[in-house]
Amino acid sequence: MHYLEQKPATHLTVIFVAEPSAWMDISQASLEHSKRWIEMMNNLIAAGRRQGVSLQWFSPLNEIDYGSPEGPKITPGEYAEVMEQLAVRLQANGYGDIGLIGLETASGSTTDAYLHALKNKPTITQMLKAIAMHDYAGQSSDIRPALTA
């Protein structure tokens, strides 16, 4: 990461793509699992900062509407809650300058529901700097209406 940061106009983005271990699988919808996952994400950023990595963008979840093996499958409400908790934790630990990338849905047809769930979560909406989505079926979705609703 240090090597990449030395290149002109380089901004590092970390995208966390992995099926979570059972002890922190947030798709289990338990408070304890969520706490462990948030702790791991926070520690990942803290370790990078201690090493002098100026992480600017972070995408902590991938394909939340699809699930394994890319990440946990969670509902829009669970996603909004765990992302809000993560954002609160990051800000409390001095990492509020990191731009979070949200959604990373695997189907354009589910994107609106996840966006709508974030509407009343003030900390994540403040830290959310980009929205990503993709679709393996070749479908595209215009999410602009959901952004302004």
Side-chain angles (χ1 to χ4, degrees):
M1 290 178 109
H2 289 295
Y3 171 77
L4 292 174
E5 284 188 314
Q6 295 171 11
K7 300 298 179 189
T10 299
H11 301 284
L12 289 179
T13 302
V14 172
I15 302 172
F16 198 81
V17 178
E19 185 173 2
S21 300
W23 60 270
M24 63 170 184
D25 185 356
I26 58 176
S27 67
Q28 301 300 314
S30 84
L31 183 58
E32 193 57 37
H33 285 93
S34 294
K35 285 181 182 179
R36 290 176 187 151
W37 179 82
I38 291 165
E39 182 71 19
M40 187 186 77
M41 295 297 115
N42 182 75
N43 289 345
L44 175 71
I45 292 169
R49 290 284 172 96
R50 282 193 303 273
Q51 296 296 317
V53 175
S54 61
L55 180 63
Q56 297 176 350
W57 296 88
F58 183 55
S59 178
L61 289 166
N62 188 47
E63 298 187 359
I64 50 179
D65 57 334
Y66 186 74
S68 180
E70 300 295 323
K73 182 173 182 168
I74 54 178
T75 68
E78 291 166 342
Y79 172 74
E81 187 57 38
V82 76
M83 287 296 286
E84 177 71 6
Q85 291 173 21
L86 175 63
V88 167
R89 176 74 179 271
L90 294 177
Q91 282 193 351
N93 289 327
Y95 308 128
D97 61 317
I98 293 175
L100 292 176
I101 301 171
L103 303 189
E104 297 275 8
T105 52
S107 173
S109 65
T110 62
T111 303
D112 288 359
Y114 286 91
L115 277 173
H116 182 72
L118 292 174
K119 295 281 185 187
N120 295 320
K121 303 293 184 185
T123 309
I124 184 58
T125 53
Q126 178 186 359
M127 289 184 70
L128 195 64
K129 302 300 182 200
I131 293 171
M133 59 180 249
H134 50 279
D135 194 307
Y136 294 109
Q139 303 294 318
S140 62
S141 175
D142 185 356
I143 64 168
R144 291 175 290 183
L147 293 172
T148 58

